[in-house]
Amino acid sequence: MRYFLAFLAGILLCSNITNAQKPVQQSSSEIYHSLEKLNFLGTALYIAAHPDDENTRLISYLSNETKARTGYLSLTRGDGGQNLIGPELRELLGVLRTQELLAARRIDGGEQFFSRANDFGYSKHPDETLEIWNKEAVLGDVVWAIRNFKPDVIINRFDHRSPGTTHGHHTSSAMLSFEAFDLANDKNAYSKQLELTETWQPQRLFFNTSWWFYGSQEKFDEADKSKMVNLDIGTYYPILGRSNNEIAALASSQHLCQGFGRLSQRGTENEYVELLKGSMPKNSNDIFEGIDTSWSRVPGGKAVGEILYAVEENFDFANPSKHLPQLLEAYELLQKVDDPYWKALKSQELKNIILNVGGLYLEASAETAFSNPGGKMKVNIEALNRSSADIILKSISISSTDKELKPSIALKNNEKQTFEIDLDIPEATDYTSPYWLREKGTLGMYKVDNQKLIGKPETPRAFLAKFQLEFNGKALTFEKPVIYHYAKPDKGELFQPFEILPEATASFSDKVLIFADGEPKKISVTVKAHADNIKGELQLSHSKGWAVDAESKPFKIANKGDEQTLIFTLTPPADEDASFISPIIKLNGKEITKELVMIDYDHVPTQSVLLPSEAKVVRLNIKKSGEHIGYIVGAGDEVPESLSQIGYIVHTIEPSSIAKGSLDKYDAVVVGIRAYNVVDELKFKQRYLFDYVEKGGNLVVQYNTASRWGDQFENLAPYPITLSRDRVTDENSAVEIIDKKNTLVNYPNKIDAADFNGWVQERGLYFPDKWAKEFTPVLSMSDKGESDKKGSILIAPYGKGNYIYTGLSFFRELPAGVPGAYKLFANMLSVEKNVQPTKLN
């Protein structure tokens, strides 16, 4: 039991400490709202598959109207999706989407959890999903989440009874939740977990249904609702100055990389949940009906409740600090409660309220944003009491070190106290990086061996400042993460995480290096210093058949934050080959093989991600025609950089600059992914693109989504074409060349079935399913058990030129260095041409 108590305290601490966002300083109204939540002892868990699957309206309603402790378990971190705001994909996208979920929860009041499941991309059936995910492992993670969070009520976003009708991840999340509902209380299921937690039986399981699952509002109106609870989630909160739907819209708008920014909504709105397991509430609009959510549910809690209910009833908004004596008395009584879950949870909530009613500001800020194992750092401490309460600052210590100050001074009203701690970073301190990326996982699962980390949204911070305060002889300890607090002239006051990094990291400027012939290339490797005065050697590791001009080269960097670029000459083998190179930094007896990637957006805290540093090198016999390519950027991809790798000169075209004749200088023009979805101006420039083709140009349009961001663009091609939601998700599915004489598969590179080996994540998406007779389909492919899809590449002559539409996922394949994808893309750019390189002014 003592192991469970210690672990539970760690969970609660992690859930209440946000990583280096601006410190929350609550108004009296917000303190009162927290007090209302403190006095509700009920828990709800919402379960779905991805970031953005959560119903922020319902999460906000349960948290702010019902006052329940509310969590969202997203089985994945959304790694397999796309990014509307930047270049991050796969693992890095998962890190960004994790932070966007946390930003959403800070607004709607929920908490955030995950499983180890990796979002490997779109899946059409839960059978495929659960095989790739490792069903038993992910089911265990759901059981683990339920046992630790102890929800009275679980709500599934999706229907477990309809496999094959929606994304396989969606249905799988509901199926796993349905099964875990009973397993969480079975001591024989995942019994190893019980060394750190205990069994738990939720009372009710619901499915968050709506007209959408019935196909129409009319069908839903006619449906049997005897097992449904109807909640009006449009309620207005005067204490917060916002309606529930306004809060929900703000929360979902944090999913910026998925394009979910939206208008606020107001007014009455019904939300339905259908009972799947447990007893039906007698009150049709209260999912907690019949469940004791008062302090009386806890042995010994009645006395605590009597004090806290009285504080809530008589709350003084003008002078909330007058309630400190009652709050401290309640805290002391709470420590005698014989229920480890509620004791730990409510003690942390109550301490936060005590901190806020006392107007206390406690901060520990490092002098720089990062340090290294074995490094030294000054930490600036600030402590301020903005109330008339008698508070003594007894001590300040830093976790994981022996550093401690014992000022034992009174914190007088509005008199700031500052201190300095010289922090020695222990040599054994782990680097800061997402814990689920520390070891290589599989296609469907992240590798996390530490059971205590599973489910956490972030890696626990390396250092916490512990402030021991005394209130009228009663001691309480408050913990704050060590952060970096600074200002910029153009952005003002900023807060970001304090990180532990290696003394140096190394990275390649290009993640894929294509050798289109046998000529050697100069490879740039940048070493970045994260400490002062570093000196070492850099070695370039490579596979047999590849040759490098020097096994290692020395470097010396004086200042932290500075960089030095070293140049190696790499010679490829004579024959086609695909391999990897990686830099090894040898420094102070250590070998460092990591690169540092910073994710920096205004709506989330800055993220430092350490990944294995490597680049794919591909010896490829590829031919191409033309030289200058115009590229119209859409939602963002790395295709232009990839084309540069095989010798094209790529020019970015601003849509506003497109005019009659302005494109004639390019050998081909490429439109980036989802450009017609996200670049409104293109609809006004389309006639110039068609004019370019008509005069002999070659236009390649990459995939757009069907009616996701507004109405589908009607004038997408010079002839009628209809986009669909057809996709082929199996990257290993068979591909048939149905027009073997077509120039796309013959010139200048011969394409055969082998060129579709080694593709990643998928074949393609949003293929057209209808097109005019002028178009010729070239390829046919399908997922298992489905009809052939022939719309992955369509080509049509128009005037003297060619229009090509492709839904193949070149935006994934080219950055992954897939040889066949490069050859096929070169053919699209070279179709029916044999021209001399264009000379641009």
Side-chain angles (χ1 to χ4, degrees):
M1 178 61 76
R2 63 189 176 92
Y3 295 107
F4 167 62
L5 288 173
F7 177 56
L8 179 60
I11 290 175
L12 296 174
L13 176 64
C14 218
S15 67
N16 282 280
I17 292 178
T18 52
N19 286 351
Q21 63 171 21
K22 187 173 182 178
V24 175
Q25 300 174 65
Q26 291 186 331
S27 66
S28 291
S29 295
E30 291 166 327
I31 294 171
Y32 179 76
H33 190 56
S34 297
L35 187 59
E36 291 180 302
K37 291 185 177 184
L38 178 68
N39 283 333
F40 187 93
L41 279 70
T43 306
L45 181 63
Y46 199 88
I47 298 180
H50 310 108
D52 84 4
D53 283 344
E54 86 274 32
N55 184 339
T56 55
R57 298 183 303 274
L58 191 49
I59 291 175
S60 177
Y61 179 87
L62 293 172
S63 176
N64 297 301
E65 173 64 15
T66 305
K67 311 297 190 301
R69 184 189 185 199
T70 307
Y72 174 43
L73 172 57
S74 176
L75 296 193
T76 76
R77 297 175 185 267
D79 324 71
Q82 293 141 48
N83 187 354
L84 192 66
I85 62 174
E88 295 84 8
L89 290 174
R90 291 304 310 156
E91 293 88 352
L92 295 176
L93 180 59
V95 174
L96 174 56
R97 289 190 171 183
T98 293
Q99 290 302 316
E100 290 186 337
L101 275 172
L102 288 169
R105 298 295 80 77
R106 287 193 287 269
I107 291 172
D108 62 31
E111 299 175 44
Q112 186 62 52
F113 307 99
F114 295 94
S115 81
R116 289 169 293 172
N118 190 346
D119 178 3
F120 56 84
Y122 192 85
S123 174
K124 294 179 178 178
H125 200 280
D127 288 350
E128 176 197 35
T129 298
L130 294 173
E131 181 179 353
I132 294 175
W133 272 357
N134 182 345
K135 176 188 174 182
E136 287 305 307
V138 182
L139 177 60
D141 291 354
V142 179
V143 169
W144 173 251
I146 294 172
R147 285 173 170 173
N148 288 317
F149 195 63
K150 300 192 183 307
D152 299 301
V153 173
I154 296 176
I155 303 173
N156 291 344
R157 182 69 180 101
F158 300 104
D159 188 358
H160 71 286
R161 300 160 296 194
S162 54
T165 61
T166 183
H167 197 323
H169 296 183
H170 292 169
T171 310
S172 295
S173 70
M175 293 168 65
L176 293 171
S177 174
F178 190 85
E179 191 171 349
F181 182 87
D182 296 312
L183 287 178
N185 199 38
D186 182 351
K187 65 181 181 180
N188 296 315
Y190 301 98
S191 57
K192 188 73 173 174
Q193 294 180 4
L194 299 179
E195 297 175 8
L196 296 169
T197 188
E198 58 188 9
T199 58
W200 178 255
Q201 182 58 64
Q203 297 301 301
R204 293 180 179 125
L205 175 65
F206 293 98
F207 159 47
N208 185 193
T209 190
S210 70
W211 68 264
W212 190 87
F213 292 95
Y214 284 77
S216 68
Q217 184 65 52
E218 292 75 14
K219 290 181 180 179
F220 184 64
D221 291 340
E222 297 170 357
D224 178 11
K225 296 185 177 61
S226 61
K227 288 288 188 180
M228 293 187 192
V229 176
N230 178 15
L231 306 171
D232 179 0
I233 48 84
T235 185
Y236 175 70
Y237 308 122
I239 204 79
L240 301 177
R242 286 194 178 103
S243 71
N244 187 74
N245 284 344
E246 287 174 307
I247 293 173
L250 286 171
S252 63
S253 290
Q254 301 308 302
H255 296 299
L256 295 182
C257 73
Q258 298 175 85
F260 271 67
R262 62 186 178 95
L263 291 172
S264 295
Q265 296 176 332
R266 287 156 287 277
T268 294
E269 185 174 349
N270 291 321
E271 194 73 53
Y272 291 87
V273 291
E274 176 191 354
L275 184 72
L276 300 177
K277 290 187 177 183
S279 59
M280 183 67 188
K282 295 178 182 177
N283 184 343
S284 62
N285 60 7
D286 181 6
I287 64 174
F288 283 93
E289 190 273 332
I291 300 172
D292 188 357
T293 58
S294 72
W295 278 100
S296 295
R297 82 177 288 177
V298 180
K302 184 177 180 182
V304 179
E306 288 176 354
I307 297 171
L308 295 177
Y309 292 138
V311 173
E312 180 182 343
E313 184 176 354
N314 301 292
F315 189 74
D316 190 332
F317 287 87
N319 181 25
S321 65
K322 69 179 285 186
H323 299 296
L324 265 175
Q326 298 109 298
L327 295 173
L328 291 164
E329 181 184 0
Y331 183 85
E332 193 170 16
L333 286 174
L334 182 53
Q335 304 319 297
K336 301 174 184 178
V337 163
D338 188 21
D339 186 312
Y341 172 77
W342 289 113
K343 176 182 175 180
L345 174 66
K346 293 302 178 181
S347 291
Q348 187 63 49
E349 288 183 30
L350 185 48
K351 282 170 63 176
N352 289 339
I353 291 174
I354 289 170
L355 195 73
N356 284 308
V357 299
L360 283 159
Y361 185 87
L362 306 173
E363 180 182 283
S365 176
E367 62 181 339
T368 62
F370 57 87
S371 187
N372 323 109
K376 296 181 182 295
M377 176 66 54
K378 286 189 182 298
V379 178
N380 299 306
I381 304 295
E382 179 179 343
L384 179 63
N385 170 21
R386 290 170 290 191
S387 74
S388 58
D390 293 328
I391 303 174
I392 296 174
L393 176 59
K394 298 291 288 183
S395 67
I396 310 159
S397 61
I398 305 292
S399 66
S400 304
T401 74
D402 59 0
K403 295 294 182 178
E404 184 176 17
L405 299 178
K406 296 183 177 180
S408 292
I409 59 173
L411 295 178
K412 297 180 181 179
N413 185 14
N414 215 30
E415 292 185 10
K416 181 172 69 174
Q417 299 292 334
T418 59
F419 309 89
E420 267 189 9
I421 293 180
D422 292 319
L423 180 62
D424 297 322
I425 310 294
E427 284 282 358
T429 305
D430 288 335
Y431 299 141
T432 301
S433 196
Y435 69 86
W436 61 95
L437 298 179
R438 287 176 178 168
E439 295 188 63
K440 187 175 180 62
T442 64
L443 174 64
M445 294 290 293
Y446 282 118
K447 190 175 189 303
V448 182
D449 293 328
N450 185 346
Q451 184 68 47
K452 295 180 181 180
L453 289 176
I454 294 173
K456 292 184 185 297
E458 300 176 280
T459 306
R461 307 313 302 175
F463 299 103
L464 301 175
K466 300 182 178 182
F467 297 81
Q468 187 183 52
L469 304 180
E470 189 175 280
F471 302 79
N472 295 325
K474 298 175 181 178
L476 285 179
T477 299
F478 299 87
E479 296 186 332
K480 297 286 183 178
V482 175
I483 59 170
Y484 177 50
H485 180 187
Y486 65 110
K488 283 187 175 180
D490 58 336
K491 290 190 176 182
E493 186 177 44
L494 297 169
F495 299 81
Q496 71 181 62
F498 170 64
E499 313 283 40
I500 303 299
L501 301 176
E503 291 94 325
T505 53
S507 61
F508 296 103
S509 56
D510 297 305
K511 295 302 180 186
V512 174
L513 296 155
I514 305 296
F515 291 74
D517 51 39
E519 293 299 311
K521 281 190 175 184
K522 293 189 180 298
I523 309 299
S524 299
V525 186
T526 299
V527 177
K528 184 164 187 175
H530 307 299
D532 292 330
N533 300 315
I534 64 169
K535 181 180 179 181
E537 290 186 345
L538 181 70
Q539 178 180 331
L540 191 62
S541 175
H542 57 85
S543 297
K544 185 178 180 181
W546 296 79
V548 67
D549 63 330
E551 284 301 315
S552 65
K553 296 191 176 184
F555 66 85
K556 184 178 180 180
I557 306 175
N559 299 313
K560 177 165 60 176
D562 200 359
E563 299 176 341
Q564 183 177 339
T565 298
L566 305 176
I567 307 296
F568 292 84
T569 300
L570 185 66
T571 303
D575 299 324
E576 288 196 350
D577 183 71
S579 183
F580 289 90
I581 57 174
S582 58
I584 302 173
I585 296 173
K586 296 185 176 182
L587 178 67
N588 298 326
K590 301 178 184 177
E591 288 192 352
I592 303 169
T593 59
K594 301 289 187 181
E595 70 167 316
L596 174 66
V597 181
M598 303 296 293
I599 300 178
D600 188 10
Y601 294 97
D602 289 340
H603 66 303
V604 296
T606 302
Q607 299 296 296
S608 301
V609 185
L610 292 170
L611 296 173
S613 184
E614 62 181 16
K616 187 172 184 179
V617 288
V618 180
R619 169 68 171 95
L620 182 62
N621 291 319
I622 189 171
K623 301 174 184 178
K624 63 183 183 67
S625 178
E627 185 174 6
H628 292 278
I629 305 300
Y631 201 93
I632 301 171
V633 177
D637 57 61
E638 298 178 30
V639 171
E641 294 83 351
S642 299
L643 297 180
S644 298
Q645 286 283 343
I646 55 174
Y648 284 110
I649 300 172
V650 182
H651 307 264
T652 299
I653 300 173
E654 292 296 331
S656 59
S657 71
I658 299 174
K660 188 174 179 63
S662 67
L663 304 176
D664 295 348
K665 55 190 175 182
Y666 300 116
D667 297 309
V669 172
V670 181
V671 181
I673 62 171
R674 293 185 290 165
Y676 293 101
N677 296 133
V678 299
V679 183
D680 290 338
E681 195 170 5
L682 270 184
K683 67 180 67 174
F684 306 114
K685 302 294 184 176
Q686 193 72 344
R687 63 185 184 275
Y688 302 127
L689 293 176
F690 292 163
D691 178 68
Y692 164 74
V693 178
E694 190 173 20
K695 290 190 293 185
N698 194 11
L699 179 65
V700 178
V701 177
Q702 297 179 86
Y703 95 95
N704 287 264
T705 59
S707 303
R708 185 169 180 182
W709 284 278
D711 294 332
Q712 184 173 315
F713 184 49
E714 294 180 357
N715 196 27
L716 186 65
Y719 310 110
I721 186 173
T722 301
L723 303 186
S724 74
R725 300 186 70 86
D726 287 350
R727 60 202 301 162
V728 176
T729 61
D730 182 359
E731 63 271 30
N732 299 311
S733 63
V735 177
E736 180 187 358
I737 299 174
I738 55 178
D739 186 4
K740 292 182 172 57
K741 295 183 179 180
N742 197 287
T743 183
L744 284 180
V745 291
N746 287 285
Y747 178 80
N749 302 287
K750 181 71 174 178
I751 302 296
D752 57 29
D755 289 301
F756 295 94
N757 294 337
W759 284 50
V760 298
Q761 187 159 327
E762 61 194 353
R763 289 297 188 197
L765 62 171
Y766 295 104
F767 296 162
D769 62 351
K770 296 178 183 177
W771 50 83
K773 60 180 176 57
E774 286 83 0
F775 283 104
T776 299
V778 180
L779 305 175
S780 176
M781 59 191 70
S782 67
D783 281 322
K784 183 178 179 181
E786 295 190 355
S787 61
D788 290 339
K789 306 294 187 292
K790 296 181 171 64
S792 60
I793 295 186
L794 301 174
I795 182 171
Y798 182 68
K800 298 179 181 179
N802 296 281
Y803 176 96
I804 301 170
Y805 186 91
T806 178
L808 291 174
S809 57
F810 288 106
F811 72 102
R812 297 193 193 280
E813 313 311 322
L814 298 185
V818 178
Y822 275 91
K823 291 179 180 179
L824 186 53
F825 209 101
N827 283 11
M828 291 194 300
L829 298 177
S830 307
V831 61
E832 296 185 346
K833 288 187 176 182
N834 188 7
V835 299
Q836 295 298 315
T838 303
K839 294 183 179 181
L840 295 187
N841 296 326

